[in-house]
Amino acid sequence: MSDETNHFYEFGRFRVNVAERLLLREGEIVPLTPKVFEILLALLENSGHVVSKDELMRRVWPETFVEEGNLTQNISTLRKALGDGQNGCQYIETIARRGYRFVASVRTSSNGEVDSSAQSFEQPAVAVAAQAMAETANPAVAQRDAEKIAQVTFAGRSLAWVNHHKTAAIFALLALIIATAGIIYFTGRGKPTGSTVEAAPTNVIDSIAVLPFANETADSDTEFFNDEITESLINNLSQLPKLRVVPRSLVVAYKAKQPDLRSIGRDLNVRAVLTGSVERVGDILNIQVELIDVTNMSHLWGQHYRRKISDILLMQEDISSDIFNNLRLKLNVEEERQLKAFNLYLKGRNYLNKRTEEGLQQGIEFFKQAIETDPNYAAAYAGLADCYNMLVVYGLSQPKDAFPQAEDAARRALKIDDTLAEAHTSLAFIRHRWTREREEAENEFKLAIKYKPGYAPAHQWYSSYLVALERFDEAVAEARRAQELDPLSFISNAHLGWVLYLAGRYDEAIEHCKKLLDVDPNFFPAHRYLGLAYEQQGKYKEAIVEFQEGVRLSGNPLMLALLGHAYAASSKRAEAERVLADLQGQKQRYVSPYTIAAIYAGLGERDEAFKWLERAFDERDIWLMNLKVDPVFIPLRSDKRFAELLRRIGLTA
């Protein structure tokens, strides 16, 4: 046998069998995914020393590009499995901005050289054989695994030791018999007497290449959908345990070529290839995908998807799930749990991006379900924080109710993973909009971008911070960066229109928002920014049309208030006053005092406008941070009360 076959690590109540790739706690198997086990092994091999994040990612995902968040998520899973932090126990230390270090005392041993302290970790093989019985439906596989596990129980014992422990040996043998019989019983449960037990499928697809999707529409504007769908599927499939996914950098060479799938499979050393095509019809995407086993050129699975572009994340999640179901991978309980939590997280992000009341509430539910499935899923807490933040933005909750919940969720995420960019972004938004801590907000934004430069929302919300401080060029650059990083996100795209508007670049904002509405005419934030830009150009009729459509699509008070200001600015006083009465009479939804002040400013009633701005200050209204650059308040800028308010907010010295 090799040295690795005989090798064990022991720490605390745990023992690691390297050859069998097993983690045992006092003799009982602790289920770990292959990637999580590999991380544990890397840390144990370098016990007491820092293992860099780059080194861990190269080792665990040698042929696949993944975001750093994948590593932190697996570290969190490992910590939970070890009970890290419980009762003051700590095994894995996070070294900020560098990596991780295994800090507990580690003992190494091999067959025949197990110290006496290790014997207390072992127990008769009943428990571990039962674990094998629970995790497989194939008796032959189960018997093989049970035999191996039973061997682990006696690993390192001399024949004399076994003779002195005949009772334990008999129990282990009985356990093997019981486990095998139990497997046959449970796998045959519910079947008629005499039925045969089906063997597990042997043609498991353990490696895949996702080829660039073909553009069936033949227009360049749709081309980016193909690239982004391909990349997103690669990222999603990379989350699946036991599956090797070829990175995008290697498959991009096959774009715009007539693929020879057998040759591609041979060149990339994969068992299966996924091909697809995209056709866009208005705001609908038609996607056809096929999964091919390139070893025998057999068609494993194919499916047609028809979805709105605004549901692009859901479609990617559906495709990823369907692909997985046809790969025939068998996951253990822990792997199934992680995959379920990830899918719930994707659903939560999709509904969050809709920015509607229903979407945000559904997003909250999906993030909560992800957390229930995996309480250490830090990114789900960050998603929950974002939903609470957006409830305030769109007038669906009062700041004093939603922001404390958002901050609590963001801090929970950072407690699990202090390098999580999503959580730093959520907290930065709160620091900027709620607590008005300018320096702290910018520090959080910069940390988020440092930890995950490719996280689009970090750049998006940082641009909001920058534009509020009249750092217009930086703001536009950050907004464009968010758009480039996530071109399939309507939120990132629409946000650029908002920043262009606040920067006074109205023509660009109008052109940009029109393009978005050509793709999805029902995306109400684009109507919002388009209407605002029209209004500043004096095109009140066009602005009113956009705001009316936004009210119809969203029904939220923010869009109604914008319509009221457009009425006021265009001398439609009666209509503006009706909107004011409607807003002030609402009991079920939160109405921003800032937006009420804007309507009074449009009507030329300065004292009323300042009265409502003072109320906005007292309630810490999120929109007040835009006061310095918001063009609807230009009529108030000459009033000394305006400069004083800016100073109190912290927007001027």
Side-chain angles (χ1 to χ4, degrees):
M1 290 186 179
S2 66
D3 291 340
E4 183 183 75
T5 302
N6 294 286
H7 202 61
F8 296 85
Y9 289 102
E10 297 172 354
F11 55 93
R13 298 181 299 152
F14 296 92
R15 191 176 198 214
V16 175
N17 184 328
V18 178
E20 301 296 333
R21 302 187 72 79
L22 289 174
L23 172 67
L24 299 112
R25 179 174 50 232
E26 296 179 346
E28 293 185 0
I29 291 178
V30 179
L32 295 181
T33 67
K35 289 179 172 55
V36 172
F37 186 90
E38 194 64 36
I39 291 172
L40 173 61
L41 195 57
L43 293 173
L44 290 172
E45 290 171 355
N46 297 277
S47 176
H49 302 282
V50 178
V51 183
S52 72
K53 295 178 181 179
D54 288 342
E55 183 179 346
L56 284 171
M57 292 174 73
R58 283 195 299 269
R59 174 164 175 168
V60 179
W61 294 277
E63 300 182 20
T64 305
F65 173 78
V66 297
E67 296 282 359
E68 188 177 303
N70 292 310
L71 173 62
T72 54
Q73 181 180 340
N74 280 278
I75 287 285
S76 296
T77 299
L78 177 57
R79 281 176 163 151
K80 180 183 178 183
L82 297 176
D84 210 3
Q86 297 178 9
N87 302 319
C89 177
Q90 183 180 12
Y91 294 111
I92 302 171
E93 178 186 9
T94 299
I95 308 301
R97 297 178 292 278
R98 291 178 60 196
Y100 303 92
R101 176 167 52 205
F102 201 87
V103 294
S105 176
V106 178
R107 303 180 299 280
T108 59
S109 59
S110 59
N111 290 354
E113 297 180 354
V114 181
D115 61 43
S116 59
S117 64
Q119 295 176 12
S120 63
F121 297 121
E122 310 296 354
Q123 64 182 43
V126 176
V128 289
Q131 176 73 23
M133 178 179 69
E135 290 193 359
T136 180
N138 186 292
V141 174
Q143 183 170 349
R144 180 202 64 199
D145 292 344
E147 288 171 349
K148 288 182 178 180
I149 294 168
Q151 291 167 9
V152 172
T153 305
F154 297 101
R157 297 329 191 241
S158 66
L159 180 61
W161 187 93
V162 173
N163 288 334
H164 280 87
H165 293 80
K166 289 182 178 179
T167 302
I170 292 170
F171 269 110
L173 181 59
L174 286 173
L176 178 59
I177 297 170
I178 293 170
T180 305
I183 293 163
I184 297 173
Y185 168 75
F186 281 110
T187 55
R189 185 173 50 189
K191 295 184 179 182
T193 303
S195 63
T196 58
V197 178
E198 295 180 2
T202 58
N203 55 338
V204 172
I205 306 298
D206 58 359
S207 54
I208 188 172
V210 181
L211 299 186
F213 280 28
N215 181 7
E216 298 296 332
T217 310
D219 69 274
S220 57
D221 289 340
T222 307
E223 187 65 28
F224 75 90
F225 281 112
N226 304 357
D227 295 338
E228 290 303 316
I229 290 172
T230 303
E231 184 168 3
S232 295
L233 287 177
I234 290 173
N235 291 336
N236 288 356
L237 291 173
S238 296
Q239 303 289 328
L240 298 177
K242 302 176 181 175
L243 179 66
R244 181 174 66 84
V245 184
V246 176
R248 184 176 184 274
S249 59
L250 296 182
V251 299
V252 72
Y254 298 98
K255 186 176 181 178
K257 292 182 179 180
Q258 187 65 30
D260 179 348
L261 300 184
R262 191 186 295 274
S263 297
I264 291 174
R266 185 169 54 251
D267 294 344
L268 299 177
N269 189 29
V270 292
R271 175 71 183 271
V273 168
L274 185 79
T275 65
S277 62
V278 180
E279 179 186 24
R280 174 187 154 197
V281 181
D283 65 339
I284 299 294
L285 287 180
N286 292 307
I287 298 183
Q288 180 69 41
V289 293
E290 289 184 308
L291 185 64
I292 307 297
D293 185 339
V294 293
T295 59
N296 55 20
M297 293 307 294
S298 62
H299 185 273
L300 296 173
W301 162 79
Q303 184 68 43
H304 177 262
Y305 299 87
R306 178 181 173 85
R307 299 283 195 281
K308 285 189 174 183
I309 293 175
S310 57
D311 282 326
I312 189 69
L313 283 179
L314 277 184
M315 178 161 53
Q316 293 167 19
E317 192 269 334
D318 287 344
I319 297 174
S320 300
S321 296
D322 289 345
I323 294 170
F324 167 71
N325 289 333
N326 285 275
L327 292 175
R328 306 187 183 97
L329 294 177
K330 293 188 71 63
L331 304 184
N332 61 33
V333 174
E334 176 67 15
E335 292 167 337
E336 289 279 10
R337 183 181 64 81
Q338 288 183 2
L339 184 58
K340 179 182 178 182
F342 176 67
N343 288 338
L344 289 167
Y345 173 77
L346 284 183
K347 287 184 171 72
R349 280 287 170 190
N350 183 77
Y351 282 105
L352 165 64
N353 285 342
K354 290 180 181 295
R355 297 302 201 259
T356 62
E357 180 176 8
E358 180 184 5
L360 292 173
Q361 293 297 343
Q362 286 183 309
I364 288 172
E365 288 305 311
F366 279 120
F367 287 130
K368 285 183 175 180
Q369 289 176 36
I371 291 167
E372 289 173 3
T373 303
D374 183 357
N376 281 328
Y377 199 171
Y381 281 105
L384 190 60
D386 287 342
C387 281
Y388 287 129
N389 285 337
M390 292 304 104
L391 286 178
V392 180
V393 170
Y394 292 102
L396 303 172
S397 183
Q398 294 193 41
K400 66 183 180 65
D401 294 331
F403 275 129
Q405 295 183 82
E407 183 167 5
D408 178 67
R411 291 198 177 280
R412 284 175 180 264
L414 290 173
K415 187 175 182 180
I416 297 170
D417 179 6
D418 61 0
T419 67
L420 186 67
E422 291 87 340
H424 282 289
T425 302
S426 304
L427 193 58
F429 184 92
I430 296 165
R431 292 284 171 266
H432 175 214
R433 296 290 187 179
W434 173 239
T435 60
R436 299 172 185 161
E437 299 171 285
R438 280 175 49 186
E439 291 185 4
E440 291 83 352
E442 185 158 19
N443 287 339
E444 291 292 340
F445 280 126
K446 288 182 175 179
L447 279 175
I449 292 170
K450 178 180 181 179
Y451 290 140
K452 192 173 182 179
Y455 183 54
H459 297 273
Q460 174 187 331
W461 293 118
Y462 187 35
S463 70
S464 288
Y465 170 89
L466 294 168
V467 79
L469 298 177
E470 298 181 299
R471 293 161 63 178
F472 297 127
D473 290 343
E474 293 176 78
V476 172
E478 288 294 327
R480 291 196 187 281
R481 180 61 178 149
Q483 179 195 26
E484 292 167 359
L485 288 169
D486 195 359
L488 294 185
S489 168
F490 277 82
I491 289 298
S492 293
N493 275 277
H495 183 77
L496 175 58
W498 167 244
V499 172
L500 290 170
Y501 159 74
L502 289 178
R505 296 160 64 166
Y506 305 128
D507 287 337
E508 293 178 65
I510 290 170
E511 181 182 3
H512 181 72
C513 290
K514 282 183 173 180
K515 287 182 178 179
L516 287 177
L517 291 172
D518 284 342
V519 176
D520 185 1
N522 294 320
F523 188 62
F524 80 89
H527 288 285
R528 172 190 171 194
Y529 306 139
L530 180 57
L532 287 168
Y534 275 144
E535 189 180 329
Q536 290 308 308
Q537 290 189 334
K539 299 177 180 178
Y540 297 113
K541 181 179 179 181
E542 292 87 343
I544 288 170
V545 169
E546 296 301 326
F547 293 142
Q548 287 173 334
E549 184 65 4
V551 170
R552 184 188 70 80
L553 291 170
S554 70
N556 71 55
L558 174 61
M559 292 300 306
L560 183 59
L562 295 175
L563 177 60
H565 180 269
Y567 283 142
S570 60
S571 301
K572 295 181 180 293
R573 188 176 189 90
E575 290 88 340
E577 289 178 344
R578 280 199 295 271
V579 171
L580 276 171
D582 189 351
L583 290 171
Q584 294 179 50
Q586 291 201 24
K587 304 298 182 184
Q588 301 300 318
R589 294 186 177 187
Y590 175 72
V591 177
S592 158
Y594 181 92
T595 61
I596 298 290
I599 297 175
Y600 278 116
L603 291 171
E605 298 185 24
R606 286 194 172 198
D607 290 343
E608 282 295 314
F610 277 108
K611 183 183 80 172
W612 283 92
L613 285 174
E614 284 295 330
R615 184 169 171 178
F617 178 84
D618 292 339
E619 294 183 9
R620 288 192 277 181
D621 191 314
I622 65 168
W623 301 112
L624 204 57
M625 296 307 293
N626 293 330
L627 186 62
K628 193 175 184 180
V629 294
D630 194 338
V632 304
F633 287 104
I634 289 176
L636 304 185
R637 290 180 181 176
S638 60
D639 194 303
K640 64 179 182 181
R641 290 174 290 183
F642 190 83
E644 175 62 17
L645 187 55
L646 289 179
R647 185 192 64 77
R648 288 159 56 201
I649 297 169
L651 291 173
T652 58

